[in-house]
Each structure stands twice: as structure tokens, then as C-alpha cells.
Amino acid sequence: MNAVRVIVTRPEREAAGWVQALQAHGLQAEALPLIEIAALPETATLQQAWREIDAYSALMFVSGNAVDGFFASNQAAALVQKAQAATDSIANLGPRFLAPGPGTVAALRRAGVPEVLIDAPAAEAGQFDSEALWAVVGWRHWQGRRVLIVRGQGAGKDQSGAGRDWLAQQFVAAGARVDVVAVYQRRAPVFTTSQRQRIEAAAHDGSVWLLSSSEALAHLPAGDWSRARAVATHPRIAEAARAAGWGVVVQSRPEITDIVGSIESIPP
């Protein structure tokens, strides 16, 4: 296993933890982020959401970056205090905090949100995404309720992503009023010369790419990926990699033990 080289493509801050975890399992992991995360200035839309925060029945965060961007507001402390106080009253728990997976749950906990107010797929769920989250909360009465979706946007345009659009559509179909606010921007990184050389080599040298975003695939330079090997953490990502001509694509749950097992399953 020590000979297996793994390229972690998550944004820089998230990649560091994954590199450490993979190295702890005996893998030669390195970070090569394919998406850059940049904070957005506090917009009028975000300020409006904060003014009306008490009117929302649920706040849905698409990622840990969404949590961090939202709670960077100077009004966040008051919301956290209110949420913590609400746990003492079963009759008035206030807004629910919705997360598609464990990374977002962890970010909410770091922000001070009580675990009892967080709804997310179970740790043993087969997948962590909008569909899995809806399976947890979709049965509730959403008619006439307001929901705020906190997310990022693509550079130059407002890209919410297929999963987020799908979830918003489910809430609307259930009778909810959905508002959306972007608190960070996803953009293509500017690769250094050494990074470009590493990308070119890793396309055919047996390295295993850990792909966590279908959008990020478009940030790679054009080339022949028929000999490239990857582990994708979602069916949509796996489908995008295969469509882009990647030679070997294995799908895995986005949990470290599952990813290590998937890497081990790829023939040398």
C-alpha cells in the first residue's frame, strides 16, 4: 500500500485533513486542489436573510464552507445563543439546521449549533447528498414554511449544482418558500508550473485521484485521461469522470475507511 500515490483534489483547507488521514493508513497522499474557495462580501441578500432569520423553519447548508461563510457574519453569535437556549424548550426549538453529510455537521458543531437541532443522513447512510438529506426531512410538514439554502456559487455566474437545485425543488413541491444565499465562490485554481507537471504525470503514472466534485473536473487541463485512475465520492462525480474519458473510476462513500478500501480494490 505504501507505493500507492493518492491525489486529494478537495479545496485546500479540506484537503489537508484528508491527506493526513490517508497517510495514517499508509498511503502516499498529496494535495492538489481543483477548486479554490473564496469568501464573498456580505451581500444585501445575506443581510436580508439575517434580518428575517426568525421566520425560517430550516437553514440548509450545502457544505462546511457554507457554514463557515454564513457564521462569519457578526450576527452569528446571536443565532447560536438562541439555538442553544432553544434546546431547553421542547415546545420551541426554533429553526432546524440541515446538513447533507458529516463534514457539514462537524462545521455546524464547530459553529456552536447544538447537535439536537441538526438534521442529517445517518453516519451509516449509503451516500451523503441532497437525496439522502431529503429522505430524513422530506416527510415533515413544509407547507407554508420558509427554508433558507446557504451555498456557494461558481465564478462569474450563479451555479447551485444539480443536487442543490433538486433539493430546492423538493421543498417547493412540498409547499415551502425557498430562499437561497451564496456566501462563498468556487473558482478554478491557477496552477503553478510544478502542479501542471504533476497533473500531466498523474494522468498515466498509476496515481489514484480522489475526486469529490464533478465541477472540479472541468478545471483540469485538456488531455488524455484514458490511463487515469480515480475514486469518486458520489455517483454524479463518477459519471462525469467516465464521460471525460477516465480509464478507471471506482465509486466510494466519502468516509476514510471506505475510500481506503476502494483504493485497495483498484488493480495495480
Side-chain angles (χ1 to χ4, degrees):
M1 285 295 291
N2 289 331
V4 178
R5 288 168 292 185
V6 183
I7 298 178
V8 179
T9 62
R10 288 177 177 269
E12 183 176 4
R13 188 180 65 175
E14 301 168 20
W18 282 93
V19 166
Q20 292 178 357
L22 290 167
Q23 288 176 344
H25 282 79
L27 299 169
Q28 295 184 27
E30 61 184 284
L32 207 170
L34 297 185
I35 287 185
E36 184 177 284
I37 300 296
L40 289 174
E42 191 162 308
T43 63
T45 303
L46 178 57
Q47 292 171 355
Q48 179 73 13
W50 274 110
R51 284 195 296 271
E52 300 178 358
I53 201 72
D54 289 335
Y56 290 106
S57 296
L59 311 177
M60 187 273 170
F61 299 86
V62 305
S63 66
N65 288 311
V67 174
D68 295 342
F70 188 78
F71 281 88
S73 169
N74 58 13
Q75 300 176 78
L79 176 61
V80 169
Q81 290 174 357
K82 186 183 300 182
Q84 292 172 341
T87 62
D88 297 329
S89 173
I90 300 301
N92 182 25
L93 290 179
R96 304 294 299 180
F97 296 79
L98 314 185
T104 310
V105 170
L108 285 169
R109 289 173 178 163
R110 288 195 302 270
V113 177
E115 186 171 356
V116 69
L117 297 184
I118 301 173
D119 296 314
E124 64 273 13
Q127 192 61 55
F128 303 119
D129 56 14
S130 296
E131 290 88 342
L133 175 59
W134 185 247
V136 174
V137 303
W139 59 270
R140 294 179 184 164
H141 178 73
W142 293 107
Q143 184 67 43
R145 304 291 181 87
R146 293 185 64 185
V147 176
L148 180 67
I149 295 181
V150 185
R151 59 168 177 76
Q153 68 179 35
K157 57 182 177 178
D158 203 9
Q159 297 177 333
S160 60
R164 286 77 161 185
D165 287 342
W166 181 89
L167 186 61
Q169 291 165 6
Q170 306 314 302
F171 278 118
V172 171
R177 171 184 165 184
V178 176
D179 295 325
V180 178
V181 61
V183 296
Y184 66 94
Q185 186 181 72
R186 306 182 306 273
R187 59 194 185 194
V190 177
F191 297 118
T192 64
T193 299
S194 61
Q195 286 175 324
R196 287 187 173 276
Q197 292 172 342
R198 185 69 188 99
I199 290 171
E200 182 178 353
H204 55 75
D205 68 0
S207 296
V208 176
W209 295 71
L210 178 56
L211 303 177
S212 57
S213 166
S214 52
E215 180 183 348
L217 283 170
H219 297 162
L220 285 166
D224 180 10
W225 295 94
S226 62
R227 296 171 58 192
R229 310 192 303 168
V231 170
T233 59
H234 192 277
R236 284 191 287 268
I237 303 171
E239 181 181 350
R242 294 184 183 111
W246 285 59
V248 176
V249 181
V250 177
Q251 184 184 321
S252 172
R253 291 176 74 249
E255 293 290 296
I256 187 64
T257 54
D258 297 277
I259 288 172
V260 171
S262 296
I263 293 171
E264 292 177 329
S265 73
I266 299 176

